[in-house]
Amino acid sequence: SESLIAVVLLQVWFSVMIGFIMIPAMFGLSLGVTSVYIQILVKILEWATLRIERGHRERSTLPVPLRRYRTQSISRGEFALSDSFYFYIKGLESIVDDQVTQRFSSEELVSWNLLTRTNHNFHYISLRLTVIWGLGVIIRYCVLFPLRITLAIIGLTWLVIGTTLVGFLPNKRLKNWLSELVHLMCYRICARGLSATIQYHNKENKPQKGGICVANHTSPIDIVILANDGCYAMVGQSHGGLMGVIQRSMVRSCPHVWFERSEMRDRNAVTSRLRAHVAAKTNLPILIFPEGTCINNTSVMMFKKGSFEIGGTIYPVAIKYDPRFGDAFWNSAKYNMVNYLLRMMTSWAIVVNVWYLPPMTRREGEDAAQFANRVKSAIAHQGGLLDMAWDGSLKRAKVKEEFKEQQQKMYSSMVMGKKGRNSQEPHTESTRRQ
């Protein structure tokens, strides 16, 4: 009897999932359940925010602000022991609040979103808030998580089987049409598996075949978000294991561009293969993330110019996640892929806006770096993101010696009492060398 009940419950589970989630997702339809779920979440989080703010006001204890000591001795060219406080503070600011490091940590929230990440250490506020948080844990881990895992497994399995079968067809229109259909269906199922609510803007600017789509990069699921609305040719390094199985099956039905590790080091080989792909105007647009690493949904960092040396039309896309419902940023230095996906699948939802920007081409007399900066600025402006000039590879690289030298010369000129033109010369000289 117990086994019979389990079978019945399993049948009901799969029937509901297939009938109300998978089939509508495969055809790009929505029954409105996710939108109602998001509206309920917004109301709950707004109420929780007001309750938390009232609780903080009731027990508010403001710390005494630190005083910053700045002496007159620096301007006179004299040294006093208290002068060290200025440099001590500047050093701490550089470590704690530099422009690069803070782009690789989760963005701060205005208030707690009933998940683990918050601006304040959690403490008891009220019984109702604690009960709602407990119910949220049960819903996220006992209902949403199993549902999302099931959908992700089905979506990836169908992707491998479907692309493999399509790959046996001759290279004709039918194969291309079926390949795009399979890719769209699978990515839409995976998007529903993340409870993704995606708003696409300016669809008349969608990337076209034979072009290059460039976007800011926050998470590996950026691919799922974009491919939920159209098919792209992926570019990346060949992998082994499960990822390798998926890559090999996908490339059978669609001209994705996978590189071996040795090829990735050869810039000319990468560029030539991408140019050949773009030259065939019937190929799907290439999807590239020129930042080269994930940034925390607040900024756009320097674009690598290699993507803009290929030629062809660039289709910029701006992606902006709503952090209230879950942190989409992948901090690869802190979480591996399994831990990251676990966090994503136990969040409330993925709510994101995607803007398709007008296509852009390289202007006469404009080099690849200038073109890349122009595209980056357009994406940052549209997505409401900070436009940063720093290279995202500083996440894993050491600071260049000229940057250190610039700060050393500036401090030296302050201590020695140099002013005006002389105090600016080290900075100008260092800037020219960069």
Side-chain angles (χ1 to χ4, degrees), residues 65-105:
L66 294 174
R67 295 179 59 188
R68 297 190 175 190
Y69 297 91
R70 305 187 73 166
T71 66
Q72 301 293 327
S73 60
I74 292 181
S75 62
R76 297 196 302 269
E78 302 173 359
F79 177 77
L81 184 60
S82 60
D83 294 340
S84 61
F85 287 121
Y86 171 73
F87 301 105
Y88 174 73
I89 291 172
K90 294 296 290 183
L92 286 179
E93 288 176 348
S94 298
I95 295 172
V96 175
D97 198 35
D98 70 278
Q99 290 184 328
V100 176
T101 304
Q102 60 182 306
R103 307 305 161 197
F104 301 111
S105 58

Side-chain angles (χ1 to χ4, degrees), residues 270-316:
V270 173
T271 303
S272 62
R273 285 191 60 185
L274 294 180
R275 278 179 178 163
H277 181 97
V278 173
K281 299 303 181 181
T282 57
N283 284 341
L284 293 174
I286 297 177
L287 176 58
I288 299 178
F289 301 103
E291 289 168 298
T293 188
C294 294
I295 312 299
N296 72 346
N297 195 44
T298 64
S299 313
V300 183
M301 301 190 76
M302 188 181 79
F303 279 6
K304 304 290 192 301
K305 65 179 183 179
S307 307
F308 301 86
E309 294 174 331
I310 301 171
T313 304
I314 298 293
Y315 294 89

Side-chain angles (χ1 to χ4, degrees), residues 152-340:
I153 292 174
I154 292 174
L156 292 177
T157 302
W158 172 231
L159 179 65
V160 172
I161 296 174
T163 52
T164 301
L165 293 176
V166 172
F168 289 111
L169 297 175
N171 293 319
K172 293 183 178 180
R173 291 184 179 179
L174 177 61
K175 178 179 179 178
N176 295 334
W177 180 76
L178 287 176
S179 175
E180 294 183 20
L181 182 62
V182 169
H183 278 81
L184 275 176
M185 286 182 174
C186 296
Y187 282 120
R188 285 170 176 170
I189 292 173
C190 291
R192 295 293 172 91
L194 294 169
S195 298
T197 300
I198 313 167
Q199 185 69 38
Y200 298 97
H201 306 272
N202 307 324
K203 286 194 173 187
E204 66 275 9
N205 298 324
K206 282 180 61 174
Q208 302 298 317
K209 291 185 177 181
I212 303 171
C213 174
V214 298
N216 58 301
H217 198 24
T218 303
S219 161
I221 69 168
D222 292 340
I223 297 173
V224 177
I225 298 300
L226 293 177
N228 189 63
D229 191 44
C231 290
Y232 297 89
M234 309 300 174
V235 178
Q237 181 177 307
S238 298
H239 293 274
L242 177 60
M243 183 61 69
V245 173
I246 296 174
Q247 286 183 325
R248 289 190 294 272
S249 63
M250 290 172 63
V251 81
R252 288 191 181 100
S253 65
C254 179
H256 298 288
V257 186
W258 307 126
F259 295 97
E260 298 295 337
R261 186 178 297 273
S262 58
E263 290 182 293
M264 290 292 287
R265 299 191 187 99
D266 188 346
R267 183 175 176 180
N268 292 329
V270 173
T271 303
S272 62
R273 285 191 60 185
L274 294 180
R275 278 179 178 163
H277 181 97
V278 173
K281 299 303 181 181
T282 57
N283 284 341
L284 293 174
I286 297 177
L287 176 58
I288 299 178
F289 301 103
E291 289 168 298
T293 188
C294 294
I295 312 299
N296 72 346
N297 195 44
T298 64
S299 313
V300 183
M301 301 190 76
M302 188 181 79
F303 279 6
K304 304 290 192 301
K305 65 179 183 179
S307 307
F308 301 86
E309 294 174 331
I310 301 171
T313 304
I314 298 293
Y315 294 89
V317 176
I319 306 173
K320 176 63 177 177
Y321 293 88
D322 191 330
R324 292 178 298 171
F325 306 98
D327 183 18
F329 168 58
W330 181 33
N331 187 351
S332 57
K334 187 176 181 180
Y335 302 105
N336 58 33
M337 181 60 75
V338 175
N339 289 335
Y340 170 75

Side-chain angles (χ1 to χ4, degrees), residues 366-381:
E366 187 177 45
D367 60 28
Q370 292 170 335
F371 185 27
N373 285 331
R374 184 160 60 91
V375 174
K376 175 173 67 75
S377 298
I379 291 175
H381 176 74

